[in-house]
Amino acid sequence: MSVTSVLDVKDLTIHYDNHPAVDNISFDVKQGDCLGIVGPNGAGKTTLFRAILGLQPFSGNIKLFGFEDSKYDSIIPLIGYVPQRVTFEPNFPATVYDVVSMGLISDKRIVQGIKLIQECDCCWNRIYQSIKKKDDKITQALHTVGLESLRNRRIGELSGGELQRVFIAKALVKDPLLLILDEPVASVDVESQTKFYNVIKTINEQNNITVIWSSHDLDAISKYANRVACMNKKLFFHGEKEKFFSDKELLKTYTESSMQMHMHDHNHDVH
Amino acid sequence: MILEALSYGFMQKALIAGIAVALICSFMGTFLVLRRYSLFGDGIAHVAFGGISVGLFLGVFPLWTAFIVSIFGGLGLQKLRQSTKISGDAAVAVVLVSGLAVGVILVSSSGGFSVDLFSFLFGSILLISNEDTMMILGISAGIITTLVILQKQFLHLTFNEEQAKLVGLRTTLLNYAFVVLASITVVTSMRLVGILLISALIVIPNITAMMFGKGFKKTVCISMSISVISVVSGILLSYSLNLAASGTIVIIAVGILVGTLILKSTGILRKVDIKTPSKITHNS
């Protein structure tokens, strides 16, 4: 495997109560890629992400930066993840700053902190520097998503678009090597979507952070991703976006299956 | 009157121990309320009742048996929630009645309720000894230190357990540590307001503090202040009016809650949604 391979998924299968949610898929993601994953609701996109993050049992093989098994767990904190849904108490007493700072905590950083204290002659100065550095990181992450002015606002008082950017800042604050975003602009207004896409473009191109992003928005995928994966439990396509969007048959199949799934959900809701 | 009260040794001990208990209950309570463990205090206090009965039955210092039984009760409660489909409130109910049942059997076997048992049920802050005061201070210092060290981890765990796991936090270990700390907090605090009213000190100052709509640290500070004000004024008022200290403390805490609600309804306090049943689901 190439050293530039960030993610390598091979023969991945996941079952829920004997029904396949992900059926024998294989693909890889290279350093600096912006991979857009498309597929209808229930296609297994979230399940795939959860498997990559070690939250979902699976059969097959997943390697992160070439690592698997026990070393895999130590890589997971280096992934920034923005889930499709984050549920919290409306009165949760946390500010934007508090939530973004949660992204900084990791065992690695705690151990580094302890080492710092033990090795240091002038501990307080070093600890102050460390704290200052963390504060700078949070400020930088908030700047990237354009939320510096809301840093002391309680999260329960934010709009959907603002909350979305808080969770992206939380994922960015740890300086991730890989960013996974699960349908990040669903239920967000058009203006916020444009801001979001620009943030992702900056992160991917200027900071060279690899991005994997699921979406139903084919226009956005065609504009911002460089590679596309199309799945509906099975993987139908994985490759350059130009190839995907030039394949009319594939696009038609995707659109029809997406529409059928939508109609199925709609009928299910009605009944 | 206040100066006269403060000149008594038993009042000094009551106030010192009371302030320590107020601080640990409000700090721990912030996490308990946000994790929807509001009745955890009640559950563990009733398990502690079983532990106290074991101590009185065996002739051992009852607080030690209460600590041991409560910690195991708390761990059992956590295990019940994690490994079965029993919901949180139902799990608390199972643990609560189990502890109470053990207590009732042992109390009836040993000839009925004693003065000692009543002091644990309803609190006896004015009767605590020097040793009790030192023990409460020592344990409280330990709990506050641990909470200060682990506050960021506990806050993340409380906010979203899955997200906490993804930044490398050992969530299972932290959950058990949380339950053990909460159990120790409850048993330590029983001398102040008693088994039957312990939840009040854990829940009321925190739901009041959350109405101020501040961030985590400020909310904890407000909650601690409300708790200390309730305990100090409750103890002094109970001395002046010859009332039960535990009940007076709780009524003052409830009074502050009602006062805050009135301030909010008149718009003096910034309008903040104080609904607790529903959660915000952020569909990104």
Side-chain angles (χ1 to χ4, degrees):
Chain A
M1 192 179 66
S2 162
V3 285
T4 56
S5 183
V6 170
L7 176 68
D8 194 8
V9 176
K10 206 168 170 53
D11 305 327
L12 183 77
T13 299
I14 300 164
H15 282 90
Y16 286 133
D17 298 327
N18 294 327
H19 297 291
V22 174
D23 191 3
N24 196 32
I25 68 172
S26 300
F27 68 96
D28 66 337
V29 181
K30 299 273 191 288
Q31 177 70 44
D33 272 355
C34 183
L35 174 71
I37 299 184
V38 294
N41 291 333
K45 301 185 294 291
T46 302
T47 306
L48 168 66
F49 290 157
R50 290 177 61 80
I52 294 168
L53 293 161
L55 299 170
Q56 176 73 49
F58 60 86
S59 62
N61 190 276
I62 304 177
K63 283 184 183 175
L64 268 173
F65 298 92
F67 294 109
E68 55 185 334
D69 300 328
S70 60
K71 285 183 181 171
Y72 190 97
D73 291 341
S74 58
I75 304 287
I76 287 173
L78 303 175
I79 301 176
Y81 175 55
V82 181
Q84 198 174 11
R85 289 185 183 86
V86 178
T87 304
F88 58 89
E89 294 288 340
N91 294 328
F92 201 93
T95 59
V96 167
Y97 184 93
D98 291 333
V99 174
V100 175
S101 72
M102 287 177 195
L104 282 169
I105 304 163
S106 73
D107 283 346
K108 192 183 167 191
R109 281 184 165 79
I110 292 166
V111 172
Q112 279 175 342
I114 292 167
K115 279 184 182 170
L116 194 74
I117 293 165
Q118 286 173 343
E119 290 168 7
C120 168
D121 293 330
C122 46
C123 292
W124 288 112
N125 189 36
R126 289 284 293 274
I127 289 168
Y128 172 71
Q129 289 298 329
S130 172
I131 291 166
K132 196 176 164 191
K133 204 176 165 192
K134 282 183 177 180
D135 191 60
D136 285 348
K137 281 183 175 179
I138 295 166
T139 305
Q140 179 62 43
L142 287 173
H143 174 75
T144 307
V145 298
L147 283 181
E148 303 106 306
S149 59
L150 298 181
R151 61 189 282 146
N152 294 320
R153 182 78 62 88
R154 233 170 46 111
I155 49 159
E157 298 169 11
L158 300 179
S159 69
E162 288 164 344
L163 265 178
Q164 168 222 50
R165 284 187 279 157
V166 170
F167 291 118
I168 294 169
K170 180 174 176 282
L172 288 178
V173 77
K174 61 169 94 169
D175 297 325
L177 299 173
L178 167 66
L179 191 60
I180 296 178
L181 306 144
D182 192 359
E183 293 188 26
V185 291
S187 318
V188 171
D189 62 74
V190 177
E191 192 188 339
S192 297
Q193 285 187 20
T194 310
K195 278 184 187 168
F196 163 79
Y197 289 130
N198 289 329
V199 167
I200 295 304
K201 196 176 166 70
T202 309
I203 291 164
N204 178 240
E205 291 178 357
Q206 292 180 17
N207 302 3
N208 198 31
I209 294 174
T210 309
V211 177
I212 303 176
W213 145 53
S214 70
S215 177
H216 294 290
D217 187 347
L218 289 182
D219 287 341
I221 295 271
S222 70
K223 199 172 172 186
Y224 298 100
N226 69 330
R227 292 172 74 80
V228 177
C230 178
M231 68 180 287
N232 190 0
K233 296 182 175 42
K234 288 179 181 295
L235 189 67
F236 291 100
F237 175 86
H238 174 239
E240 299 298 324
K241 72 171 175 189
E242 292 78 11
K243 204 173 168 186
F244 177 75
F245 285 103
S246 62
D247 190 334
K248 302 294 176 203
E249 198 57 40
L250 191 66
L251 270 175
K252 192 179 165 209
T253 308
Y254 168 74
T255 312
E256 279 173 359
S257 72
S258 190
M259 188 59 75
Q260 278 168 7
M261 195 64 75
H262 176 76
M263 290 307 290
H264 175 269
D265 288 349
H266 178 72
N267 291 335
H268 190 73
D269 289 345
V270 169
H271 296 297
Chain B
M1 183 69 124
I2 290 174
L3 286 176
E4 182 202 323
L6 292 175
S7 67
Y8 294 119
F10 72 91
M11 283 297 281
Q12 291 164 2
K13 281 183 285 183
L15 286 169
I16 291 167
I19 289 169
V21 164
L23 294 176
I24 56 171
C25 276
S26 50
F27 201 170
M28 197 74 223
T30 309
F31 297 110
L32 285 168
V33 169
L34 288 169
R35 296 189 79 177
R36 300 192 164 212
Y37 276 41
S38 290
L39 287 177
F40 178 92
D42 247 357
I44 292 303
H46 283 78
V47 173
F49 173 75
I52 287 163
S53 307
V54 170
L56 292 173
F57 186 75
L58 298 174
V60 183
F61 185 49
L63 215 53
W64 296 129
T65 48
F67 272 121
I68 294 165
V69 172
S70 300
I71 288 170
F72 280 107
L75 292 172
L77 179 63
Q78 181 65 16
K79 191 75 187 163
L80 207 60
R81 285 172 62 119
Q82 272 183 347
S83 51
T84 67
K85 287 184 177 174
I86 297 174
S87 66
D89 57 343
V92 168
V94 170
V95 171
L96 186 150
V97 293
S98 304
L100 202 56
V102 170
V104 168
I105 290 169
L106 290 176
V107 165
S108 60
S109 303
S110 60
F113 285 82
S114 65
V115 175
D116 273 354
L117 201 58
F118 267 105
S119 76
F120 282 110
L121 279 174
F122 299 105
S124 56
I125 193 70
L126 300 177
L127 300 176
I128 61 167
S129 63
N130 287 340
E131 291 75 23
D132 284 342
T133 310
M134 292 309 290
M135 187 191 73
I136 290 173
L137 281 179
I139 292 173
S140 300
I143 289 170
I144 288 175
T145 308
T146 313
L147 285 176
V148 168
I149 293 168
L150 293 177
Q151 64 168 319
K152 283 188 176 177
Q153 284 92 328
F154 281 152
L155 184 65
H156 204 171
L157 195 69
T158 305
F159 183 68
N160 190 297
E161 194 164 329
E162 204 162 71
Q163 293 258 309
K165 211 173 190 173
L166 292 176
V167 293
L169 295 184
R170 294 176 182 177
T171 51
T172 308
L173 192 67
L174 278 170
N175 271 323
Y176 283 121
F178 178 78
V179 164
V180 169
L181 273 178
S183 302
I184 295 171
T185 302
V186 169
V187 179
T188 308
S189 311
M190 280 183 341
R191 296 305 298 263
L192 182 63
V193 286
I195 289 167
L196 299 176
L197 290 172
I198 189 69
S199 276
L201 268 192
I202 289 172
V203 176
I204 297 171
N206 278 298
I207 55 173
T208 311
M210 282 172 202
M211 281 186 227
F212 286 80
K214 302 291 181 188
F216 177 71
K217 283 178 184 167
K218 283 181 184 168
T219 302
V220 170
C221 290
I222 295 168
S223 170
M224 283 178 159
S225 306
I226 292 168
S227 199
V228 168
I229 290 167
S230 306
V231 167
V232 171
S233 55
I235 290 172
L236 292 174
L237 204 64
S238 70
Y239 170 81
S240 310
L241 304 176
N242 198 22
L243 301 170
S246 55
T248 313
I249 291 166
V250 175
I251 291 298
I252 289 172
V254 172
I256 295 172
L257 170 67
V258 172
T260 311
L261 278 168
I262 292 168
L263 284 178
K264 272 183 67 64
S265 65
T266 54
I268 296 170
L269 256 183
R270 192 159 54 107
K271 291 268 181 194
V272 184
D273 182 8
I274 57 159
K275 284 184 292 182
T276 47
S278 61
K279 287 188 168 190
I280 289 178
T281 298
H282 161 57
N283 288 291
S284 15

